Amino acid sequence: MNHSPAPPPIGLAPDALPVLRERGQREVFCGLTSIVWLHRKIQDAFFLVVGSRTCAHLLQSAAGVMIFAEPRFATAIIEERDLAGLADANDELDRIVTRLLERRRDIRLLFLVGSCPSEVIKLDLGRAAARLSARFAPEVSVLHYSGSGIETTFTEGEDAALAALVPVLPREADDAAPSLMVVGALSEIVEDQLARLFAEIGIAPVHFMPARRAREMPPLGSKTRFILAQPFLAETARGLMARGAQPIAAPFPLGAEGTSLWLGAAAAAFGIAPAALSARLGASEARARAAMAPHRAILAGKHVFFFPDSQLEVPLARFLARELGMELIEVATPYLHRQHLAAELALLPPDVMLVEGQDVERQLDRCRAAKPDLVVCGLGLANPLEAEQLTTKWSIELLFTPIQGYDQAGDLAELFARPLRRRARLRI
Amino acid sequence: MQLTLWTYEGPPHIGAMRIATSLQNVHYVLHSPQGDTYADLLFTMIERREARPPITYTTFQARDLGADTAALFKNSVRDAYARFKPDLMVVGASCTAELIQDDPGGLAHALALPIPVVPLELPAYQKKENWGASESFYQIVRACARPAAAARPARPPASTEGRRPLCNILGPTALGFRHRDDLREIKALLGTLGIAIGVVAPLGAAPADLARLGEADFNVVLYPEIAHLTAQWLQRQFGQPATMTVPIGVGATRRFIAEVAALSGLAPDAPSVTAALAGSTLRLPWYSRSVDSTYLTDKRVFIFGDATHALAAARIARDELGLAVVGLGTYSREFARDFRAAAETYGVKPLITDDYLEVEREIAAAEPALVLGTQMERHIAKRLGIPCAVISAPIHVQDFPAHHAPYMGFEGANAIFDAWIQPLMMGLEEHLLTMFREDFEFHTAAPPSHLGRHVPQASPPAANTDPTRWVDEALRELAKIPFFVRGKARRNTEKFAAERGISPITLETLYDAKAHFSH
C-alpha cells in the first residue's frame, strides 16, 4: 500500500498489545445483515440477495421484527432446478430483476448481493451486474458485492457495498479544491451535525459517502481527503486510495474525546491550527461531557466484557474506558484491522485483553468466570446470559442508533448505562 | 429462482433446530457457514428462551473451504460431545454445506461416539421449515423408539384391562405457534377424560422418553405439519392409531373429544366424556348467538396460514361466527391435496402459494372486511386498511404472550372469539352506524359540513371539489350521513360513478351506489 496513515497521536505503539486469536465457532451475523441499515440509508437503492431460503430468513429475522415498511431488499432464492442446470441462472436473474424493477420504479441503484451458496456455485454476479446495467441504463445502475458469511462478517457487508460504489463515484477534476469525504453510513441527524461542525471549523466542501440518493454520490479525485466514520471499512478505504484519495487517520467519532480527535485529524489535514479548533469546538465538547456525566456515575469502575460482533468493539472499549471510567475485561472483535485502528489501540489501557475471532464456548467460559458487570454481545447470547444473572447490552443497537458525534455521546453512554439502571430498578 | 420479500417458512434445517431445541439431552451439530448462527436469536429473542438452543455450528469461512471443512466438522462434533455429553447427537448440513458435500452423517459415524448419532438429510433447495421439522422428528423417533419397542407384544384395549387409557401427545415444538398453551389445554382436556399421558414429544422429551412411545394405546397428533409422518410410522410399527381431528374451534374440539373417547374405548355417554363435552368455561357459542354479534353475519373474511390453522379458521369463521369465507389459502404445499378438497366446501378457489406478493394481490382483489393470516398478512392488511388477526406461524414475538392464550380446546375457542372480533368494530357500535346510514332523514347530529361550522371531520369535507363532480343536492344528502361513515359513503359513490362513467354524481347515483354496496 502506498499511503500509510499518520502515526497515532499518543500512547504505545499498537503492535505492543498482545492479541488472543481464536478460531472456533463464531456467533456472528454474516455481511447480508448490513442491508438492514444500508437500505434505509440509500433511499433509492434496492438490495437483491442471490441466495437461499436461509438468506431470506436471516434478513427477515434480523430485520423483519424491526421494520414494517415495505423493504427495499429481497432474495432471489436459488432452487433445485437452478442447481441442476435445468434453468439458466442468468436468465432467471434477468427475469427476477425485470419483475422487481417493474414493481419498484423508484429504484435507481440495484445491488446484486452474493451469498454463501452463490459464492460456492460460483455464480458470476459481476457479469450479471454489467449485463443488467447495460439493459436498464440510464434509469437504473446495477452493482454487485458479496455479503456472504464465508467472506464477510456483519458490518463487513457495508464495507463490501461501499467498496462496490467506489469505482463508479464521479471523477473530480485534478485541479479541484481539496475536499473532505466522510466515509461510512451514518444517520441523517449525525451527518447534519457533523456537516455543521465542519462548516464551523472551516472545512469545505464536505461530502458524505454513501449519499442518501444514488445520483448524489460524492465526487472523487486526487484532491479528495477521506476520513472513515466507521472502523470496518478496510476495502472501501483501499478502493478510495487506489483512486488517488488521501486517507486521514484518526480515532473514531465516538464520545467527546473521540469526536474531538476525529475532527482534529480532519482539521490538521486541512491546515487548521489546533488553537482555532479548540476555540470553536470547546463548547460542543463540554456539552457532550455534561451529557455523559450522569451515566459516568453509573458506569465508572464497572467491568465490561465484549463479545465480537460489529467491529465497533475497539473504539467502544476506548470510549468506555477513557470517558466513562469502565474497566475492560476482554475486548473481542471479529477482525482487528491494526492499521485503521492504530489510533484507537494507542489509547487503550496497556493491559487490555484483545481477542480477534471467536470460539464462542470458550469465550462464554471466560465470561462466566470473570462475572463482568456488563456484557456487550449479539442477540443470540443476550437472553441466555441475562438468565445467568449477567447484565447485557445487545450490540446490534449500536448500528441502528445514532451514536457518533458530540451530541450523541450522552446517548451512547446511556445505551450502556440503561441495562445496569434497569437491573437496579426492577423489584421482581 | 424465486423472488422473495418475506418468506413464510425458514429453510429445513430451522425445522430440525426446532425439534432439537424441543428435546432434552439432544445436541445438533450443523455444518454451516459463518452467519447461520442468526437462528439462535429466533429462540432467545422471539420465544425468549432462557438457554441457547443446543446447536453447534461449524461456521466455516472462505479460508476453510480451501483447507479441510470435513476435519472442521469432525472436530466440532468431537468438541460438542465432550462439552455437552448429550444422550443423542443429530448432525446435518445447512444450504451451503449441502453444496460442499462433506457427508456429515458419515463423518460423525466415523468418530464412533458412544451415543446414537442421527444424520439428517434435509434438501435445502427443495424443502422448507415444516418439512424439515417433520422429517427430523421422524428420524429421531425412528432411532429411539424402535429398539425398545421391538420385543413388546400387542396390547389388548385399555377398556378390557381395567386400566386408564394411555396416549402420547405428538407435535408441540419450540418456536411453535401457541404450542405451549395448546399443550396445557389439551392435557387438561385429556385429564378430564381420565386418559393418562405417556410421552409428550418433541417438546420436553428426552431420547429415553421417545423410547417409551410404543407403550401408549394411541397418539394425539396436535400439528399434522410436524407429527403426521411420525404418527404414521408409529401406527405401522406399533399398531398405534392416531387422532385425525385438530381441536381448534368448538365443533372440532367436540369431534376431537369423541374421537379420543372412541380410541380409548370410552362410551360416548360415559360421565367423563359428558364432563369434557360440557366445557363449563366455553363462551364462544353464546357470544356468537348474542344479538350484538349479528353484524358479523356474512362479513367477508380472507384466510391464509399453514394448512391446519387456515382450515380450522375457515370452519370457525363460517360455522361458529357466521362470516363469509371469500378467500382461503395456505403456504403448506405438503398438504395441498387435502386443502383443495376442503376449500371446495367453502366455494372458493384455494390459494396454494408461498409467494407473499401473490397473497397480497389476492387479498386486495377480494376486498375482505377481515383478514385472518400470518404476520405477513397483518402487514398487507395494515397497508390496505383492513382489520386483521393472526392465526398462524411464521412466528413472531407477539405469539408468545405472557398470559395463557391457546388456540386449541374450548378456552382456545374463547380466545379466538376475542382475538378475531376485537380488530373489528364493536358490534353494537357498528349496528348503530348501519341504522344511521340507512336513515338519513331522521339523522340530525351530523351538521352540513360543507358550511364548515362544526369541527369533527373524520372524512374529507364534502366540498364540491374536482375531479369528481357532485351536484349540490347529492352533496347535501351526503352531508346528512354521520361524519364517521361519510368518507366511506363518498368513496364508494365516487368509485361506483367512476366505474360507470357517471358525471356529475346525482342523488340517484348516491342511492344507486348505496344499493350496490349494501349487496
Side-chain angles (χ1 to χ4, degrees):
Chain A
M1 207 167 298
N2 295 327
H3 305 272
S4 61
I10 37 176
L12 280 172
D15 285 344
L17 293 174
V19 177
L20 171 65
R21 289 200 169 74
E22 293 272 52
R23 284 186 65 167
Q25 178 182 319
R26 294 167 71 112
E27 183 85 12
V28 290
F29 284 128
C30 66
L32 296 181
T33 320
S34 49
I35 291 172
V36 175
W37 64 87
L38 282 175
H39 92 287
R40 305 313 301 170
K41 179 69 207 171
I42 312 174
Q43 293 162 10
D44 52 3
F46 196 101
F47 295 79
L48 180 65
V49 177
V50 183
S52 66
R53 187 166 300 281
T54 312
C55 307
H57 195 240
L58 154 81
L59 284 171
Q60 176 163 327
S61 308
V65 288
M66 302 177 195
I67 293 166
F68 288 152
E70 166 137 359
R72 270 180 288 100
F73 57 79
T75 309
I77 295 183
I78 299 169
E79 294 170 305
E80 189 67 21
R81 48 196 293 274
D82 302 303
L83 296 175
L86 297 176
D88 182 275
N90 286 304
D91 292 349
E92 288 288 295
L93 199 53
D94 290 6
R95 177 179 62 81
I96 281 178
V97 167
T98 305
R99 182 178 171 202
L100 186 71
L101 293 177
E102 273 168 6
R103 183 181 156 84
R104 298 298 300 265
R105 297 192 178 276
D106 51 327
I107 298 307
R108 293 290 165 267
L109 174 61
L110 174 68
F111 285 102
L112 301 180
V113 187
S115 66
C116 297
S118 80
E119 299 291 334
V120 169
I121 65 172
K122 302 202 184 322
L123 201 56
D124 190 346
L125 291 183
R127 226 181 53 187
R131 180 180 68 243
L132 288 163
S133 223
R135 176 144 148 218
F136 291 101
E139 282 79 19
V140 185
S141 43
V142 184
L143 300 174
H144 83 286
Y145 71 91
S146 172
S148 82
I150 56 179
E151 284 171 310
T152 59
T153 303
F154 198 21
T155 50
E156 286 183 307
E158 174 175 330
D159 187 24
L162 299 191
L165 272 173
V166 169
V168 298
L169 293 181
R171 169 152 292 282
E172 193 174 54
D174 284 338
D175 57 355
S179 65
L180 178 66
M181 184 190 283
V182 177
V183 185
L186 297 169
S187 70
E188 296 193 359
I189 188 159
V190 170
E191 274 186 15
D192 293 345
Q193 289 169 10
L194 294 177
R196 284 197 295 272
L197 287 168
F198 283 124
E200 212 164 309
I201 60 183
I203 298 178
V206 176
H207 302 291
F208 290 88
M209 154 81 172
R212 295 172 199 183
R213 307 199 72 82
R215 303 246 166 105
E216 294 162 9
M217 291 297 164
L220 176 63
S222 59
K223 293 290 169 57
T224 307
R225 319 287 314 255
F226 73 90
I227 188 164
L228 299 183
Q230 300 279 19
F232 40 73
L233 300 173
E235 280 305 309
T236 308
R238 216 189 311 277
L240 290 168
M241 287 189 281
R243 283 194 58 182
Q246 314 287 315
I248 300 170
F252 292 88
L254 299 173
E257 180 190 46
T259 304
S260 289
L261 290 172
W262 188 79
L263 290 169
F270 280 76
I272 294 159
L277 195 67
S278 54
R280 295 224 159 89
L281 299 181
S284 296
E285 190 178 321
R287 188 166 64 193
R289 291 196 192 283
M292 288 189 289
H295 309 301
R296 186 182 165 96
I298 293 168
L299 294 168
K302 298 283 198 304
H303 293 75
V304 62
F305 189 108
F306 281 89
F307 278 76
D309 195 51
S310 63
Q311 290 192 51
L312 285 166
E313 292 84 5
V314 169
L316 287 172
R318 178 265 302 160
F319 165 69
L320 293 178
R322 290 176 62 94
E323 300 197 48
L324 297 168
M326 294 190 83
E327 305 282 339
L328 306 176
I329 295 181
E330 175 167 336
V331 181
T333 187
Y335 296 102
L336 195 65
H337 287 291
R338 283 186 176 274
Q339 192 184 6
H340 291 294
L341 290 173
E344 291 284 353
L345 293 169
L347 296 173
L348 286 180
D351 59 343
V352 68
M353 175 164 175
L354 283 174
V355 180
E356 184 178 26
Q358 189 174 31
D359 182 323
V360 68
E361 303 296 350
R362 287 164 41 136
Q363 195 179 18
L364 283 165
D365 291 344
R366 291 196 299 274
C367 181
R368 290 178 182 121
K371 294 192 177 59
D373 299 299
L374 185 65
V375 182
V376 184
C377 63
L379 288 174
L381 295 174
N383 263 345
L385 290 173
E386 291 278 350
E388 294 180 28
Q389 302 307 316
L390 290 160
T391 303
T392 63
K393 165 79 218 93
W394 8 304
S395 46
I396 197 165
E397 203 173 352
L398 300 162
L399 276 310
F400 294 121
T401 312
I403 57 170
Q404 295 84 2
Y406 290 127
D407 289 312
Q408 277 65 242
D411 301 344
L412 180 57
E414 203 271 342
L415 284 180
F416 293 95
R418 194 186 307 167
L420 293 168
R421 278 200 296 117
R422 182 166 181 78
R423 183 160 286 252
R425 161 93 63 88
L426 294 180
R427 298 276 181 272
I428 44 178
Chain B
M1 286 183 198
Q2 186 197 2
L3 177 62
T4 307
L5 271 74
W6 302 113
T7 167
Y8 288 97
E9 292 183 71
H13 71 259
I14 297 286
M17 285 182 189
R18 287 174 53 194
I19 302 300
T21 304
S22 305
L23 294 166
Q24 304 286 317
N25 311 337
V26 168
H27 200 85
Y28 183 17
V29 179
L30 184 70
H31 204 15
S32 59
Q34 169 177 264
D36 281 5
T37 51
Y38 80 87
D40 282 2
L41 78 84
L42 305 174
F43 298 94
T44 65
M45 294 304 290
I46 295 180
E47 193 172 1
R48 302 187 184 94
R49 284 193 160 243
E50 295 191 359
R52 293 167 64 215
I55 303 162
T56 294
Y57 307 79
T58 56
T59 59
F60 55 81
Q61 295 173 263
R63 63 179 180 216
D64 302 307
L65 289 178
D68 190 353
T69 49
L72 176 65
F73 179 79
K74 282 167 86 167
N75 290 338
S76 299
V77 173
R78 205 182 282 120
D79 291 352
Y81 177 72
R83 179 175 281 268
F84 298 105
K85 293 282 186 321
D87 295 342
L88 181 142
M89 185 90 91
V90 182
V91 297
S94 78
C95 49
T96 305
E98 184 183 328
L99 296 174
I100 60 176
Q101 301 184 328
D102 273 338
D103 183 21
L107 292 170
H109 184 74
L111 291 173
L113 297 179
I115 51 163
V117 175
V118 179
L120 295 178
E121 300 220 353
L122 309 173
Y125 300 91
Q126 293 173 30
K127 302 293 189 181
K128 287 176 285 188
E129 178 179 338
N130 279 338
W131 185 90
S134 172
E135 176 70 13
S136 304
F137 184 39
Y138 165 63
Q139 294 293 351
I140 295 169
V141 165
R142 270 188 70 140
C144 293
R146 186 161 44 186
R152 184 169 298 112
R155 310 183 65 184
S159 52
T160 62
E161 272 182 32
R163 61 175 176 84
R164 286 176 77 196
L166 180 70
C167 73
N168 301 315
I169 300 179
L170 305 181
T173 66
L175 270 185
F177 181 82
R178 307 296 170 93
H179 290 194
R180 174 197 74 190
D181 300 343
D182 286 349
L183 181 59
R184 174 175 143 190
E185 205 57 30
I186 296 308
K187 277 179 161 177
L189 185 59
L190 292 168
T192 306
L193 285 164
I195 296 167
I197 295 165
V199 181
V200 175
L203 197 62
D209 298 318
L210 299 181
R212 297 189 289 110
L213 277 171
E215 293 173 8
D217 298 306
F218 65 96
N219 291 311
V220 169
V221 175
L222 292 189
Y223 308 101
E225 280 85 350
I226 288 158
H228 179 68
L229 182 67
T230 300
Q232 277 184 319
W233 183 80
L234 290 169
Q235 178 143 28
R236 285 197 305 273
Q237 206 67 17
F238 307 130
Q240 290 172 322
T243 56
M244 301 298 288
T245 311
V246 178
I248 302 178
V250 178
T253 300
R254 287 181 181 144
R255 284 193 298 280
F256 174 80
I257 292 168
E259 189 181 13
V260 166
L263 290 172
S264 309
L266 296 169
D269 57 351
S272 65
V273 177
T274 311
L277 284 170
S280 58
T281 58
L282 176 62
R283 296 188 188 87
L284 183 144
W286 169 239
Y287 277 27
S288 194
R289 285 203 305 275
S290 166
V291 290
D292 68 293
S293 289
T294 51
Y295 81 107
L296 294 172
T297 313
D298 286 336
K299 233 180 214 319
R300 297 164 64 82
V301 58
F302 189 103
I303 298 167
F304 192 85
D306 69 20
T308 297
H309 287 87
L311 289 178
R315 218 166 36 234
I316 296 166
R318 182 187 62 187
D319 299 342
E320 301 177 13
L321 298 174
L323 306 169
V325 176
V326 297
L328 179 57
T330 184
Y331 56 81
S332 308
R333 286 187 185 278
E334 292 86 357
F335 290 78
R337 195 194 300 172
D338 295 345
F339 198 89
R340 283 202 183 89
E344 269 178 26
T345 69
Y346 296 91
V348 296
K349 189 167 154 281
L351 175 65
I352 294 166
T353 183
D354 55 3
D355 183 348
Y356 164 82
L357 299 176
E358 190 179 351
V359 179
E360 184 180 42
R361 276 197 302 277
E362 293 285 331
I363 292 178
E367 295 190 353
L370 175 67
V371 173
L372 301 174
T374 73
Q375 291 294 336
M376 265 94 93
E377 284 68 48
R378 193 167 67 86
H379 293 178
I380 295 170
K382 201 154 125 193
R383 254 201 308 284
L384 297 173
I386 304 169
C388 178
V390 173
I391 60 158
S392 160
I395 209 73
H396 188 276
V397 69
Q398 288 177 351
D399 299 322
F400 294 95
H403 65 275
H404 181 54
Y407 252 54
M408 289 186 173
F410 291 140
E411 188 55 28
N414 292 338
I416 284 170
F417 184 90
D418 291 343
W420 297 6
I421 300 315
Q422 271 167 9
L424 297 167
M425 212 174 292
M426 296 308 294
L428 197 56
E429 279 174 17
E430 174 146 335
H431 187 63
L432 290 171
L433 292 189
T434 308
M435 280 196 340
F436 281 139
R437 188 168 54 205
E438 291 174 356
D439 230 0
F440 293 166
E441 295 177 348
F442 298 152
H443 173 69
T444 52
S449 60
H450 61 284
L451 298 181
R453 284 188 297 133
H454 291 262
V455 201
Q457 290 286 345
S459 56
N464 205 351
T465 52
D466 277 331
T468 316
R469 261 187 358 96
W470 290 62
V471 302
D472 285 346
E473 186 187 28
L475 207 55
R476 276 196 299 276
E477 197 77 4
L478 181 70
K480 293 173 193 163
I481 301 174
F483 71 87
F484 33 82
V485 291
R486 194 181 301 138
K488 188 175 178 186
R490 183 178 187 127
R491 278 195 304 279
N492 280 348
T493 308
E494 292 180 349
K495 185 178 169 200
F496 178 85
E499 282 167 5
R500 285 158 186 76
I502 298 168
S503 182
I505 291 167
T506 64
L507 202 53
E508 290 305 304
T509 321
L510 179 65
Y511 282 104
D512 284 347
K514 178 175 181 301
H516 175 77
F517 284 105
S518 66
H519 303 291

